[in-house]
Amino acid sequence: MKKTLLGALGLMAAGAGASLILWSEHERDCLAVERISISSKKIQTPKRLVFLSDLHDKEFGPENVRLIKAIDRAEPDAVLIGGDMMVSKGTPGISIAVSLVEKLAKKYPVYYGNGNHENRMVWERSVYGGLYEEYRDILKKLGVIYLENGTGLLGEDVAVSGIDLRKKHYQKLFLERPRPLKKDYLYTSLGKADENRFQILLIHSPMYFKESADWGADLTLSGHFHGGTIRLPLLGGVMTPQYQFFLPWCAGSFEDKGKRMVVSRGLGTHSINIRINNKPQVILLDLKPLCS
């Protein structure tokens, strides 16, 4: 009797595990388009922006046709990219990322900030050679505003900056806490925030919202944590790729003292190739003037 019960429980567990794997495979190929509205006195004219992050060589249909159609339906004024469009582990390739950005750049202004996978090609130059420079230069030739510790203007009333974090800022918490940003890190890398325009900062890790807000970012855009892999009601993301458990800012919109941070669940996966209740995400940002 005991063996029969244990066998039945084992079969049930195996069936549940197989069902979750199948569901994850299905969900990884879904696309969720979600809208967030932000109002500010600094915004003079309404703008719709698309924010993409963490593609990790994922393709939604041949040459990402489904992703591109979803973006086209939104009719954005610009596309902001928050980094990690490729996987720089093993033998990296840049063709999928280049193909997507090329198609977007033909239709929209594209602002590109680096993530840890772009920066890894610099940190580990002995492995990747000049692949980072090749990738960056291709995108620049396509007309992309490549924000390598730089700032670009979006109309007369919005400034978009991108910051490159260092390897120590991405340390896995299971092993060691990421190093805090020095007080002047953003200022030294980017100069002063634009006080007269609505200042957006692309900073790949959401661990540094306070530092971004203190620097002067009205809106911080991040990704990196892939939504927490598995999302549970009320509890949010279960585990990030950095082995943080139930981290509150795995994904979503956050506010502190009038400053905002939006964290993308990302589009692809790597290493931990699981998504449950955590669909790949395209974020639409509706920037609106705040009437006094």
Side-chain angles (χ1 to χ4, degrees), residues 166-205:
R166 296 177 182 170
K167 188 175 184 179
K168 63 184 178 182
H169 299 134
Y170 291 108
Q171 284 288 72
K172 298 183 181 197
L173 285 191
F174 183 75
L175 302 173
E176 180 184 353
R177 290 192 64 83
R179 305 288 176 84
L181 285 181
K182 291 183 178 179
K183 190 174 182 180
D184 63 346
Y185 185 88
L186 291 170
Y187 176 79
T188 301
S189 301
L190 291 168
K192 293 179 64 176
D194 196 323
E195 298 178 353
N196 299 315
R197 295 178 173 89
F198 186 78
Q199 176 70 68
I200 297 174
L201 177 63
L202 299 172
I203 181 169
H204 191 63
S205 173

Side-chain angles (χ1 to χ4, degrees), residues 216-274:
D218 298 295
L219 173 62
T220 298
L221 297 177
S222 301
H224 190 46
F225 290 146
H226 303 179
T229 308
I230 299 169
R231 296 190 64 79
L232 300 177
L234 302 179
L235 296 176
V238 173
M239 185 185 78
T240 76
Q242 285 65 47
Y243 309 115
Q244 295 129 314
F245 294 89
F246 299 106
L247 192 70
W249 44 92
C250 282
S253 181
F254 306 88
E255 185 171 356
D256 184 33
K257 298 177 182 177
K259 305 291 188 179
R260 295 284 296 272
M261 176 171 73
V262 173
V263 183
S264 170
R265 297 194 303 266
L267 291 161
T269 59
H270 73 93
S271 302
I272 304 173
N273 294 310
I274 298 171

Side-chain angles (χ1 to χ4, degrees), residues 150-165:
T151 298
L153 299 183
L154 203 172
E156 296 296 323
D157 51 352
V158 175
V160 184
S161 301
I163 184 73
D164 284 0
L165 295 173

Side-chain angles (χ1 to χ4, degrees), residues 57-77:
D57 288 333
K58 170 67 178 174
E59 288 188 285
F60 295 90
E63 297 187 336
N64 267 308
V65 62
R66 288 172 47 223
L67 176 57
I68 293 168
K69 284 182 178 179
I71 294 168
D72 289 343
R73 284 194 292 270
E75 298 182 335
D77 297 296

